[in-house]
């Protein structure tokens, strides 16, 4: 009976000892924050979130945050000398898989394309939208979507590539660009800047600039 009681007490003590330390909780929270920041950059890169593109600083910051979280998790409250437990190794393994997946995502996600060419276009009868047939100058790659924003009398258009490398799944070549009554030019992204691809003439008709 005494042995049974001692075993139960030992199991309770072991379970108590297995509880994460405050430093481990902080480290885990930091890792999660870093992964979320990396996901945010990935979604901006792919055009799912408007209001800014993924930046090198944001990507670097997310990696630093994740690494700091791993170090903090390993150290717990016992200082740098603490060795990882099997539980810690599992968490680190999962985190590293997430980091690797996110890194591969940046390579495979369809980011902005700045080599877009206009094949032809048409404007609706009421002038509220323009349908553009577009492709890419490169021999590899396809377009899948656009994001449209407005700046004064300009319509700013960002084109995005399909997912993967030269993957035609989800590819499109026809895009509808909503126009405002005071829209005078349509600009396509080229790197961090934009260039005028189409403009409205004095006669009220739209014309394409040669590229």
């Amino acid at each position: 009976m005494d042995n049974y009681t001692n075993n139960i007490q030992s199991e309770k003590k072991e379970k108590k000892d297995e509880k994460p330390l405050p430093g481990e909780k902080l480290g885990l929270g930091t890792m999660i924050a870093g992964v979320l920041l990396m996901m945010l950059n990935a979604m901006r890169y792919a055009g799912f979130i408007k209001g800014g593109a993924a930046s090198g600083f944001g990507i670097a910051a997310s990696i630093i945050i994740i690494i700091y979280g791993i170090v903090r998790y390993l150290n717990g409250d016992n200082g740098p000398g603490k060795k990882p437990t099997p539980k810690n190794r599992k968490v680190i393994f999962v985190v590293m898989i997430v980091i690797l997946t996110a890194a591969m995502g940046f390579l495979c996600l369809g980011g902005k394309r700045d080599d877009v060419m206009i094949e032809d276009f048409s404007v609706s009868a009421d002038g509220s939208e323009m349908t553009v047939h577009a492709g890419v100058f490169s021999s590899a790659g396809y377009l899948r979507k656009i994001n449209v924003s407005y700046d004064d009398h300009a319509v700013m258009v960002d084109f995005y590539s399909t997912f993967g490398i030269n993957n035609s799944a989800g590819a499109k070549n026809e895009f509808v660009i909503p126009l405002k009554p005071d829209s005078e030019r349509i600009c396509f992204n080229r790197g961090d800047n934009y260039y005028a691809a189409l403009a409205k003439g004095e006669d009220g008709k739209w014309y394409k600039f040669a590229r």
Side-chain angles (χ1 to χ4, degrees), residues 28-208:
L28 186 59
T30 304
M31 282 188 280
I32 293 173
V35 170
L36 291 176
L37 179 60
M38 182 171 284
M39 290 174 61
L40 174 63
N41 275 279
M43 294 183 73
R44 282 181 171 175
Y45 178 79
F48 292 118
I49 297 179
K50 295 183 179 181
S55 65
F57 174 79
I59 296 170
S62 63
I63 293 174
I64 291 173
I65 291 172
I66 293 171
I67 292 175
Y68 172 79
I70 291 174
V71 173
R72 193 69 181 87
Y73 185 85
L74 287 176
N75 289 344
D77 289 346
N78 299 330
K82 183 180 178 183
K83 295 181 180 180
T85 64
K87 179 190 65 175
N88 289 352
R89 293 192 192 100
K90 291 179 181 179
V91 173
I92 294 171
F93 176 76
V94 171
V95 171
M96 294 307 294
I97 291 296
V98 171
I99 296 174
L100 181 61
T101 303
M104 290 300 294
F106 278 109
L107 297 177
C108 296
L109 283 176
K112 290 182 181 180
R113 295 291 301 237
D114 57 6
D115 60 342
V116 177
M117 62 178 180
I118 303 172
E119 297 171 356
D120 61 71
F121 69 93
S122 61
V123 181
S124 62
D126 60 0
S128 63
E129 62 183 31
M130 177 185 291
T131 301
V132 174
H133 291 85
V136 296
F137 281 106
S138 172
S139 60
Y142 300 87
L143 301 174
R144 65 178 170 87
K145 65 169 290 184
I146 61 172
N147 277 344
V148 179
S149 59
Y150 302 89
D151 183 14
D152 198 10
H153 299 292
V155 183
M156 321 299 284
V157 183
D158 294 312
F159 287 84
Y160 290 86
S161 175
T162 54
F163 298 103
I165 301 174
N166 204 28
N167 179 20
S168 61
K172 295 173 58 179
N173 62 2
E174 182 178 299
F175 304 92
V176 177
I177 302 174
L179 301 174
K180 291 186 175 182
D182 61 348
S183 296
E184 296 178 355
R185 60 190 180 277
I186 297 176
C187 302
F188 292 175
N189 67 282
R190 178 183 287 167
D192 295 329
N193 300 311
Y194 292 85
Y195 69 95
L198 302 110
K200 183 185 289 187
E202 294 181 357
D203 57 1
K205 296 181 179 180
W206 285 89
Y207 296 90
K208 180 180 73 171

Side-chain angles (χ1 to χ4, degrees), residues 1-8:
M1 185 68 179
D2 292 338
N3 290 336
Y4 178 75
T5 303
N6 291 335
N7 289 336
I8 293 177

